[in-house]
C-alpha cells in the first residue's frame, strides 16, 4: 500500500539532475555533501557525507536542557496563537505542535509516514490508517474521528481537497475513508490530503464540528493561545511533540512532551516518540523584524535554527557554524496584474512588460545560487517544463524594447513629452505593491522596475505589509500590479495541475463572490479554463494530462496573467554550534527541517 507514497507512473517530477539544475551551485554543494563530500569548517553547504550531520548521535548526551532557538518575522510573541485556519498569529511552530499525516520530501519525491502509517488509493476510495499510539497532551487518544473533524473544518473553509472528493468517514478508531467519483485523479487526492496536520482536537473544536453549518468567521476568530504564563484564554491541546510552556513579551518557549513533564502544575501526557528521539528540552521562539535582523542574530549566535530565510550568497559566506539546506520552492515572485485595470488589463501591455523585463538580471540581482532563471513563462515550475510541455511552442519573451514598443504602438500607445508611454493622454503607470521585509522579492522587483522605467513605463515600488496586501488590497481589487507568487509553492508547485489551478482559478485572496485575485476571466480565447482544470482532475490518463497541461501553458504564455521574475529555493538553516543532525537527502529536504528532523531522531543537542 505504501507504494502509493511515490509518484511512480506519473513521472519523476524533480529528479536529482533537475534539482541541481534548479538550485545551481548551492544545491550541488548540498547534494555533494549528502553523497560523500567532506565537511567544511563552518558547516555551510555540505554535510560530513555520512548522513550524520556535525558529530554523531551516539556521542550526544541522553538529555540536554538546551532549547532550539528560532524566530518568526510576522507576529510578536504575545500575538501568537494556534488556529491553523487563521493566518493572523500562526507560525511555523505548529509543525511541532500538531502531527502531520505524512511528510513530503522534495528530492526523493516520496512521502514519509508520520501520524498515518499506511494509505491506499482505490478506484473510488482513499483509505488512511493512523498510528494507534498518538495522544493529545491532555491524555485523550488521537483517533480517526479527530482527522474526520479536521476535514470537516477544512470543508467549511473551502480547502481544495473537497473539490475532488464526495465524502469522508472515520470507519474505526484508526481508519478514515475518503470517497470520490470513479475516474478522479488519485494523485490529486493524495497530495491534497496527506500534508494535513491533525490540529482540531474535539475537546477544543467540538462547538464547530458538531454544528450543521458552522460560521467561517467564528472558526477563524477562534484563537487558542496555549498553556503557561498568565494566559486567561483557551488552553491549546497539542498532539505533536511539543506544547507551549511559557509566554513572555520577547519569547515563547515550548517544552518537548517527555515523560514526567508538568506545566503550571498540570501533568502533560508524553508523546510516544519524544523520549527515544528527542534529547533536548524544547524550542524558544522570538521575533525579528525581517531578513536583516535574522542575519544579524544568526551571525551573533542568538539563534540555532531558521525554518525559512532568504540569505544572499555573500552573506552565507559570512556565516560560521551554520548549515544551509536548500529545498526547491516551487514558488517565486511575479508581477501580478489587475485584469480589470484599463492599462494592465490589455494583453499587449502585459506582453510588452514581459519583453522588457530581463528575468536573468532579476536572478542575478537576488543571487544566482538562490534563484532559478525562468526561460519561458508557462505557469509551471521550471523543473517541470521539459517533462510536461513542449516549450518550443511558447514565446520566450526576450524581444526587448523594440518588440515591446511595437506591441504598445499596436495597442494605441505613444510616448509623451516626458518619454512615458500613454494612451489617450493617460500615462502608463502603476504603483507596484510588494511585501515589506521580503528582501529577495523586493530585490527582484527593483530590477524589473529599473527595466520598465528605463523603457518609459512609469512604475514605482511600494513595499507594503503583506497581510495588508493579501487581506485587504487584493480582495478589494485595490491594486494595479502586485508582487506575489506566480506559482503556488510547496509540493503543489511541483505538479502542473496545482500550478495551473493557482493561475486560472485562484481565490486565495479574493472574497467568495469575486473572481480570482487577479480578476482573470474564466473563459479566455474560447477556452473554459475551469472546465479544462476539472478534466485534468478527473482523468488518470497521462496523455490527457499532458495535453491539458500543454493547452493551459500555451494560454498562460499568450495571456500572461503574471510576468514571472524568478523561482526560488527555500533556504532553511541549522546551526552546528551545539547541535548535530542528519544531512541525508532522504531526511533533510522537508519543510521544515528544524521541526521534522527531531521527530525522526535526526536532530539532537550535542552538549
Amino acid at each position: 500500500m505504501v507504494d502509493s507514497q511515490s509518484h511512480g507512473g506519473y513521472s519523476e517530477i524533480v529528479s536529482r539532475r533537475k534539482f541541481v539544475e534548479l538550485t545551481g551551485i548551492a544545491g550541488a554543494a548540498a547534494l555533494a555533501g549528502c553523497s560523500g563530500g567532506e565537511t567544511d569548517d563552518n558547516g555551510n553547504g555540505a554535510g560530513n557525507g555520512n548522513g550524520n550531520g556535525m558529530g554523531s548521535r551516539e556521542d550526544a548526551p541522553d538529555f540536554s536542557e538546551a532549547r532550539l532557538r528560532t524566530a518568526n518575522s510576522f507576529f510578536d510573541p504575545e500575538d501568537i496563537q494556534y488556529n491553523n485556519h487563521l493566518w493572523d498569529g500562526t507560525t511555523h511552530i505548529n509543525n511541532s505542535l500538531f502531527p502531520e499525516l505524512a511528510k513530503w520530501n522534495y528530492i526523493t519525491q516520496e512521502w514519509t509516514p508520520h501520524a498515518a502509517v499506511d494509505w491506499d488509493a482505490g478506484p473510488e476510495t482513499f483509505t488512511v490508517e493512523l498510528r494507534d499510539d498518538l495522544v493529545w497532551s491532555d491524555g485523550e487518544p488521537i483517533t480517526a474521528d479527530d482527522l474526520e473533524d479536521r476535514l470537516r473544518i477544512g470543508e467549511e473553509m473551502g480547502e481544495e481537497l473537497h473539490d475532488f472528493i464526495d465524502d469522508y468517514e472515520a470507519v474505526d478508531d484508526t481508519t478514515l475513508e475518503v470517497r470520490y467519483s470513479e475516474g478522479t485523479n488519485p494523485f490529486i487526492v493524495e497530495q491534497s490530503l496527506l500534508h494535513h496536520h491533525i490540529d482540531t482536537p474535539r475537546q477544543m473544536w467540538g462547538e464547530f464540528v458538531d454544528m450543521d453549518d458552522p460560521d467561517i468567521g467564528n472558526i477563524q476568530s477562534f484563537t487558542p493561545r496555549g498553556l503557561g504564563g498568565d494566559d486567561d484564554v483557551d488552553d491549546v491541546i497539542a498532539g505533536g511533540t511539543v506544547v507551549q510552556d511559557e509566554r513572555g513579551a520577547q519569547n515563547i518557549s515550548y517544552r518537548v512532551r517527555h515523560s514526567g513533564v508538568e506545566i503550571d502544575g498540570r501533568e502533560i501526557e508524553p508523546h510516544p516518540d519524544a523520549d527515544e528521539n528527542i534529547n533536548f528540552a524544547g524550542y524558544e521562539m522570538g521575533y525579528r523584524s525581517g531578513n536583516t535582523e535574522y542575519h544579524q542574530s544568526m551571525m551573533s549566535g542568538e539563534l540555532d535554527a531558521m525554518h525559512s530565510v532568504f540569505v544572499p550568497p555573500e552573506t552565507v559566506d559570512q556565516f560560521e557554524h551554520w548549515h544551509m539546506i536548500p529545498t526547491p520552492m516551487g514558488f517565486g515572485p511575479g508581477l501580478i496584474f489587475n485584469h480589470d485595470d484599463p492599462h494592465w488589463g490589455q494583453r499587449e501591455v502585459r506582453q510588452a512588460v514581459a519583453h522588457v523585463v530581463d528575468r536573468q538580471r532579476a536572478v542575478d540581482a537576488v543571487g544566482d545560487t538562490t534563484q532559478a532563471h525562468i526561460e519561458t513563462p508557462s505557469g509551471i515550475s521550471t523543473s517541470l517544463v521539459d517533462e510536461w510541455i513542449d516549450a518550443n511552442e511558447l514565446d520566450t519573451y526576450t524581444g526587448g524594447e523594440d518588440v515591446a514598443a511595437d506591441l504598445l504602438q499596436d495597442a494605441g500607445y505613444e510616448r509623451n513629452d516626458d518619454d512615458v508611454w500613454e494612451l489617450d493622454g493617460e500615462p502608463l503607470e502603476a504603483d507596484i505593491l510588494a511585501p515589506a521585509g521580503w528582501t529577495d522579492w523586493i530585490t527582484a522587483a527593483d530590477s524589473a522596475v529599473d527595466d520598465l522605467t528605463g523603457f518609459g513605463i512609469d512604475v514605482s515600488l511600494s513595499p507594503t505589509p503583506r497581510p495588508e496586501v493579501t487581506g485587504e488590497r487584493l480582495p478589494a481589487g485595490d491594486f494595479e500590479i502586485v508582487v506575489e507568487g506566480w506559482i503556488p509553492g510547496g509540493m503543489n508547485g511541483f505538479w502542473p495541475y496545482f500550478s495551473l489551478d493557482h493561475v486560472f482559478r485562484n481565490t486565495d485572496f479574493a472574497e467568495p463572490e469575486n473572481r480570482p485575485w487577479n480578476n482573470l476571466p474564466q473563459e479566455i480565447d474560447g477556452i473554459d479554463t475551469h472546465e479544462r482544470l476539472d478534466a485534468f482532475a478527473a482523468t488518470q490518463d497521462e496523455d490527457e494530462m499532458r495535453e491539458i497541461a500543454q493547452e493551459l501553458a500555451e494560454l498562460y504564455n499568450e495571456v500572461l496573467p503574471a510576468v514571472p521574475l524568478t523561482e526560488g529555493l527555500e533556504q532553511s538553516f541549522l546551526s552546528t554550534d551545539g547541535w548535530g543532525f542528519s544531512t541525508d537527502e532522504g531526511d533533510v529536504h522537508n519543510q521544515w527541517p528544524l521541526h521534522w528532523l527531531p521527530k525522526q531522531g535526526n536532530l539532537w543537542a550535542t552538549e
Side-chain angles (χ1 to χ4, degrees), residues 72 142 208 238 248 279 330 357 464 482 510 565:
N72 84 95
I142 294 177
F208 303 112
N279 80 329
V357 169
T464 306
V482 62
L565 300 177

PDB file of all heavy atoms in Angstrom, residues 72 142 208 238 248 279 330 357 464 482 510 565:
ATOM      1  N   ASN A  72      10.397  34.205  14.314  1.00  0.00           N
ATOM      2  CA  ASN A  72       9.488  34.495  13.210  1.00  0.00           C
ATOM      3  C   ASN A  72       9.505  35.997  12.984  1.00  0.00           C
ATOM      4  O   ASN A  72       9.906  36.764  13.851  1.00  0.00           O
ATOM      5  CB  ASN A  72       8.073  33.988  13.507  1.00  0.00           C
ATOM      6  CG  ASN A  72       7.263  34.970  14.341  1.00  0.00           C
ATOM      7  OD1 ASN A  72       6.504  35.770  13.800  1.00  0.00           O
ATOM      8  ND2 ASN A  72       7.419  34.937  15.668  1.00  0.00           N
ATOM      9  N   ILE A 142      -5.551  10.227  20.068  1.00  0.00           N
ATOM     10  CA  ILE A 142      -5.805  10.795  18.748  1.00  0.00           C
ATOM     11  C   ILE A 142      -6.348   9.683  17.862  1.00  0.00           C
ATOM     12  O   ILE A 142      -5.708   8.636  17.702  1.00  0.00           O
ATOM     13  CB  ILE A 142      -4.523  11.387  18.142  1.00  0.00           C
ATOM     14  CG1 ILE A 142      -4.055  12.588  18.962  1.00  0.00           C
ATOM     15  CG2 ILE A 142      -4.739  11.798  16.690  1.00  0.00           C
ATOM     16  CD1 ILE A 142      -2.745  13.194  18.482  1.00  0.00           C
ATOM     17  N   PHE A 208     -17.627  23.620  16.873  1.00  0.00           N
ATOM     18  CA  PHE A 208     -17.705  23.852  15.431  1.00  0.00           C
ATOM     19  C   PHE A 208     -18.045  22.576  14.672  1.00  0.00           C
ATOM     20  O   PHE A 208     -18.885  22.584  13.786  1.00  0.00           O
ATOM     21  CB  PHE A 208     -16.393  24.426  14.925  1.00  0.00           C
ATOM     22  CG  PHE A 208     -15.972  25.693  15.607  1.00  0.00           C
ATOM     23  CD1 PHE A 208     -14.861  25.729  16.420  1.00  0.00           C
ATOM     24  CD2 PHE A 208     -16.722  26.861  15.458  1.00  0.00           C
ATOM     25  CE1 PHE A 208     -14.479  26.897  17.055  1.00  0.00           C
ATOM     26  CE2 PHE A 208     -16.348  28.030  16.095  1.00  0.00           C
ATOM     27  CZ  PHE A 208     -15.225  28.048  16.894  1.00  0.00           C
ATOM     28  N   ALA A 238      -2.123  20.043  22.500  1.00  0.00           N
ATOM     29  CA  ALA A 238      -1.185  19.689  21.436  1.00  0.00           C
ATOM     30  C   ALA A 238      -1.212  18.191  21.173  1.00  0.00           C
ATOM     31  O   ALA A 238      -1.353  17.388  22.093  1.00  0.00           O
ATOM     32  CB  ALA A 238       0.227  20.124  21.824  1.00  0.00           C
ATOM     33  N   GLY A 248       6.322  34.983  27.031  1.00  0.00           N
ATOM     34  CA  GLY A 248       6.799  36.266  27.504  1.00  0.00           C
ATOM     35  C   GLY A 248       6.635  37.328  26.438  1.00  0.00           C
ATOM     36  O   GLY A 248       6.136  37.075  25.344  1.00  0.00           O
ATOM     37  N   ASN A 279      16.449  14.561  22.348  1.00  0.00           N
ATOM     38  CA  ASN A 279      17.278  14.644  23.562  1.00  0.00           C
ATOM     39  C   ASN A 279      17.421  16.063  24.085  1.00  0.00           C
ATOM     40  O   ASN A 279      18.255  16.315  24.951  1.00  0.00           O
ATOM     41  CB  ASN A 279      18.654  14.030  23.309  1.00  0.00           C
ATOM     42  CG  ASN A 279      19.595  14.972  22.564  1.00  0.00           C
ATOM     43  OD1 ASN A 279      19.144  15.784  21.752  1.00  0.00           O
ATOM     44  ND2 ASN A 279      20.901  14.861  22.832  1.00  0.00           N
ATOM     45  N   GLY A 330       9.267  25.766  -5.655  1.00  0.00           N
ATOM     46  CA  GLY A 330       8.033  25.816  -6.438  1.00  0.00           C
ATOM     47  C   GLY A 330       7.281  27.109  -6.175  1.00  0.00           C
ATOM     48  O   GLY A 330       6.053  27.140  -6.171  1.00  0.00           O
ATOM     49  N   VAL A 357      11.228  43.222 -19.260  1.00  0.00           N
ATOM     50  CA  VAL A 357      11.816  42.753 -18.004  1.00  0.00           C
ATOM     51  C   VAL A 357      12.836  41.662 -18.295  1.00  0.00           C
ATOM     52  O   VAL A 357      12.531  40.651 -18.931  1.00  0.00           O
ATOM     53  CB  VAL A 357      10.716  42.232 -17.054  1.00  0.00           C
ATOM     54  CG1 VAL A 357      11.345  41.503 -15.867  1.00  0.00           C
ATOM     55  CG2 VAL A 357       9.841  43.378 -16.570  1.00  0.00           C
ATOM     56  N   THR A 464       4.768  47.118   1.173  1.00  0.00           N
ATOM     57  CA  THR A 464       3.554  47.181   1.990  1.00  0.00           C
ATOM     58  C   THR A 464       3.468  45.908   2.815  1.00  0.00           C
ATOM     59  O   THR A 464       3.782  44.826   2.310  1.00  0.00           O
ATOM     60  CB  THR A 464       2.302  47.291   1.087  1.00  0.00           C
ATOM     61  OG1 THR A 464       2.467  48.407   0.201  1.00  0.00           O
ATOM     62  CG2 THR A 464       1.032  47.468   1.891  1.00  0.00           C
ATOM     63  N   VAL A 482       0.851  43.788  -8.343  1.00  0.00           N
ATOM     64  CA  VAL A 482       1.343  43.375  -7.036  1.00  0.00           C
ATOM     65  C   VAL A 482       2.406  42.307  -7.246  1.00  0.00           C
ATOM     66  O   VAL A 482       2.309  41.489  -8.165  1.00  0.00           O
ATOM     67  CB  VAL A 482       0.197  42.856  -6.138  1.00  0.00           C
ATOM     68  CG1 VAL A 482      -0.468  41.630  -6.740  1.00  0.00           C
ATOM     69  CG2 VAL A 482       0.678  42.554  -4.732  1.00  0.00           C
ATOM     70  N   ALA A 510      -9.307  36.414  -2.493  1.00  0.00           N
ATOM     71  CA  ALA A 510     -10.481  37.102  -3.026  1.00  0.00           C
ATOM     72  C   ALA A 510     -11.691  36.788  -2.157  1.00  0.00           C
ATOM     73  O   ALA A 510     -11.772  35.742  -1.520  1.00  0.00           O
ATOM     74  CB  ALA A 510     -10.755  36.665  -4.460  1.00  0.00           C
ATOM     75  N   LEU A 565       9.238  36.564 -12.342  1.00  0.00           N
ATOM     76  CA  LEU A 565      10.568  37.170 -12.218  1.00  0.00           C
ATOM     77  C   LEU A 565      11.632  36.119 -11.916  1.00  0.00           C
ATOM     78  O   LEU A 565      12.626  36.016 -12.619  1.00  0.00           O
ATOM     79  CB  LEU A 565      10.556  38.244 -11.130  1.00  0.00           C
ATOM     80  CG  LEU A 565       9.593  39.414 -11.352  1.00  0.00           C
ATOM     81  CD1 LEU A 565       9.637  40.375 -10.169  1.00  0.00           C
ATOM     82  CD2 LEU A 565       9.904  40.138 -12.653  1.00  0.00           C
TER      83      LEU A 565
END
